[in-house]
């Protein structure tokens, strides 16, 4: 049985208003009186009417849909970010279409081609890179794109990240001040700017203290690979293994701590201090008590949405820029705390 769709004309007749008034009621940001809106919504509910967003997009040239590309969600940081991005965009009258991609450039390019076919108004890429070909395609199609938690030079794309280099330096300074001399680093995915900048900052902080990296392994931002990396790094005799390790994100740091304590029988922080990056909720759990660098998700989301909306709605789009947000050092029990050190103070709005 085929049921005919209710039209805006029928809603207008039921509400006693014009068809254009019905259209304005269901157009975000359009001007309409409260009384008219109430009548139209009441009539629409009674008739079971739903506006045809795609048809409206064809007329206006605007879909009010934002494509959000996410590489992986097993890291606690990203489900929270996806929720915050979605809520913030919806408050501004935009809808979010989520696409999953792998870390490989080829896969991302395929996903991006699909997104552009949906006639989205803008694109946010969370923790994925953008090839020069796709960046050019977006520009030619007039579709602005913002990188979230990734940056890249030379592509003319706006990016929003924490200050990863500064965060890496903070990690080094803490561990050096804690009396450590054999410092290890477990890297994330080598193709990520976040990995590159955190390691560069960590090495710079060590160099400032007259030290160099004692050991390095790669965990690829993956828990299983991080466990393997920890086993390789700490399988040696005490004098040949690190007495502290900076792990490129919390997701891997939890896996590393589990290996140290439950497989190798090491005490954290008595035998090994561990520091991560992100400050996801489990970092504060008593089971981990992970010292970490906080990514200020609220500020990063606010900057990302503001930059994208400005590019979409401005008559004179701004120049691409790289926005970096400083992340505070959060001290917990997984590291030796040097005398006199306290957690950095930040306001509620900076969480």
């Amino acid at each position: 049985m085929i049921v005919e769709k209710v039209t805006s004309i029928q809603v207008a007749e039921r509400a006693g208003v014009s068809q254009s008034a019905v259209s304005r009621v269901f157009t975000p940001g359009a001007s309409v009186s409260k009384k008219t809106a109430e009548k139209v919504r009441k009539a629409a509910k009674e008739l079971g009417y739903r506006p045809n967003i795609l048809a409206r997009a064809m007329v206006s040239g605007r879909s009010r849909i934002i494509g959000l590309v996410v590489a992986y969600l097993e890291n606690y940081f990203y489900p929270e970010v996806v929720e915050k991005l979605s809520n913030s965009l919806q408050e501004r009258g935009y809808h979010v279409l989520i696409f999953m991609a792998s870390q490989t450039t080829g896969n991302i390019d395929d996903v991006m081609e699909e997104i552009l076919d949906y006639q989205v108004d803008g694109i946010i890429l969370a923790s994925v890179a953008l090839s020069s070909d796709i960046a050019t395609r977006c520009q030619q199609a007039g579709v602005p794109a913002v990188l979230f938690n990734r940056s890249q030079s030379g592509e003319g794309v706006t990016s929003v990240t924490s200050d990863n280099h500064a965060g890496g330096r903070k990690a080094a300074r803490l561990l050096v001040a804690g009396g450590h001399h054999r410092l290890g680093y477990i890297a994330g995915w080598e193709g990520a700017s976040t990995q590159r900048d955190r390691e560069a900052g960590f090495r710079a902080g060590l160099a400032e203290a007259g030290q160099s990296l004692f050991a390095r392994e790669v965990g690829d931002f993956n828990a299983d690979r991080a466990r393997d990396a920890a086993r390789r790094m700490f399988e040696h005799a005490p004098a040949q293994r690190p007495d502290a390790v900076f792990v490129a994100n919390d997701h891997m740091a939890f896996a590393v701590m589990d290996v140290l304590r439950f497989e190798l029988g090491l005490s954290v922080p008595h035998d090994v201090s561990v520091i991560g990056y992100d400050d996801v909720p489990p970092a504060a759990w008593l089971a981990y008590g992970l010292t970490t660098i906080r990514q200020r998700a609220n500020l990063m989301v606010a900057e990302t949405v503001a930059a994208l909306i400005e590019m979409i709605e401005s008559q004179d789009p701004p120049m691409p820029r790289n926005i970096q947000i400083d992340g505070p050092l959060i001290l917990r029990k997984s590291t030796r705390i040097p005398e006199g050190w306290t957690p950095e103070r930040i306001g509620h709005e900076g969480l």
Side-chain angles (χ1 to χ4, degrees), residues 216 260 309:
R216 182 186 191 272
L260 293 176
I309 298 302

Side-chain angles (χ1 to χ4, degrees), residues 30-44:
S31 177
V32 63
S33 70
K34 182 179 179 180
K35 182 178 180 181
T36 298
E38 289 175 349
K39 289 197 297 183
V40 169
R41 292 190 183 282
K42 182 175 182 293

Side-chain angles (χ1 to χ4, degrees), residues 13 37 52 87 120 136 142 163 274 322 351:
E13 291 175 350
N52 189 328
N87 290 341
V120 297
T136 300
D163 191 338
V274 180
N322 183 5
L351 296 179

Side-chain angles (χ1 to χ4, degrees), residues 167-202:
R169 291 178 70 179
K170 291 178 182 182
R173 289 170 179 168
L174 170 66
L175 296 177
V176 169
H180 297 287
H181 299 283
R182 301 188 306 275
L183 290 99
Y185 177 71
I186 295 182
W189 178 54
E190 301 274 23
S193 63
T194 49
Q195 147 55 31
R196 178 194 67 224
D197 295 343
R198 289 170 194 177
E199 180 171 1
F202 189 58

